[in-house]
Amino acid sequence: MAVSRRGELISRPSNQPSFVRFYNISAKTVSIEWIDFTGDPKKYQSLRPMEGVDVKTYVHHIFVAYEQHTRYPMVFRHPRESGNEDLEEEVFFPRRSLLYADNGQQYISRRIDIKTPVRTLKQLCLFCVHTTLESKEIVNSLDLPPLLKLDINKLYINQQNHYQKIIYNNKKKKIVGRR
């Protein structure tokens, strides 16, 4: 994984191929984005529910996914290298594909499911309020505690600033902000 001095995620050049099949198992249309070599997200593909796409990428290339309309982060579910449980992460770091050489080179593609993450009741309620409001200006007029208003306003900020560089906390395996 590559992280700039300011904590931003960036992809690094690589010649180690990784073949993956991103598959949207959520009920929403998702946008898959590649984080380029300067840390800027580049739209890669949109997937409708139950739709997949085969991707030839490389180790050290980084991907994120969002629900297309709201820009809420989705998670990538994929098998661990060891153990029985699948990993669920907001950021996907491709691993080197397995190579079988019977009659030349043949790489095995990994299926990577994209799904809606498990969210807290507070997060779900905030998302519901956010998606029902006509505009950001209405938030301050709501009869809600100031901290909840702040959280709803943060959803608007994240939605507007989704093309800013992503700050990643490796210990929590989560996106923690944007620059």
Side-chain angles (χ1 to χ4, degrees):
M1 174 179 67
V3 178
S4 73
R5 281 182 250 167
R6 295 181 357 182
E8 300 161 349
L9 282 178
I10 56 173
S11 289
R12 292 190 325 217
S14 172
N15 61 359
Q16 297 177 332
S18 181
F19 294 87
V20 297
R21 169 171 278 211
F22 289 121
Y23 197 79
N24 179 12
I25 62 171
S26 78
K28 306 284 186 176
T29 299
V30 299
S31 176
I32 301 170
E33 296 174 7
W34 172 64
I35 307 302
D36 73 10
F37 303 120
T38 64
D40 293 322
K42 303 291 185 194
K43 185 169 181 179
Y44 187 81
Q45 179 87 31
S46 290
L47 295 176
R48 292 186 302 267
M50 307 312 289
E51 188 175 61
V53 63
D54 290 315
V55 176
K56 178 187 178 188
T57 186
Y58 295 90
V59 174
H60 305 302
H61 286 200
I62 300 168
F63 292 87
V64 293
Y66 298 97
E67 194 274 310
Q68 189 164 311
H69 177 68
T70 63
R71 301 294 302 163
Y72 298 147
M74 303 296 277
V75 293
F76 296 94
R77 183 176 72 189
H78 54 96
R80 290 182 185 270
E81 289 187 39
S82 61
N84 295 336
E85 295 180 26
D86 288 344
L87 287 173
E88 290 189 3
E89 300 174 311
E90 288 184 357
V91 179
F92 176 66
F93 304 97
R95 294 181 297 189
R96 187 175 184 154
S97 290
L98 301 174
L99 170 67
Y100 292 97
D102 291 338
N103 295 332
Q105 291 188 347
Q106 181 180 0
Y107 290 95
I108 303 301
S109 182
R110 287 189 182 90
R111 177 175 163 154
I112 308 299
D113 291 336
I114 300 171
K115 64 181 279 268
T116 304
V118 175
R119 295 191 169 108
T120 65
L121 181 58
K122 177 184 174 185
Q123 288 172 320
L124 290 172
C125 292
L126 289 171
F127 292 156
C128 285
V129 171
H130 173 247
T131 57
T132 58
L133 297 176
E134 291 180 19
S135 70
K136 181 181 175 180
E137 288 70 34
I138 297 173
V139 174
N140 291 329
S141 66
L142 297 173
D143 188 21
L144 292 173
L147 287 177
L148 290 179
K149 291 179 185 179
L150 180 64
D151 288 341
I152 295 168
N153 277 316
K154 284 180 186 176
L155 291 174
Y156 279 102
I157 291 168
N158 287 340
Q159 194 175 33
Q160 293 167 351
N161 297 333
H162 65 272
Y163 286 113
Q164 294 181 346
K165 293 182 178 17
I166 295 171
I167 310 301
Y168 184 71
N169 182 327
N170 192 33
K171 289 180 184 174
K172 293 183 179 181
K173 302 287 185 204
K174 286 198 161 262
I175 296 170
V176 293
R178 297 181 175 276
R179 282 207 177 113

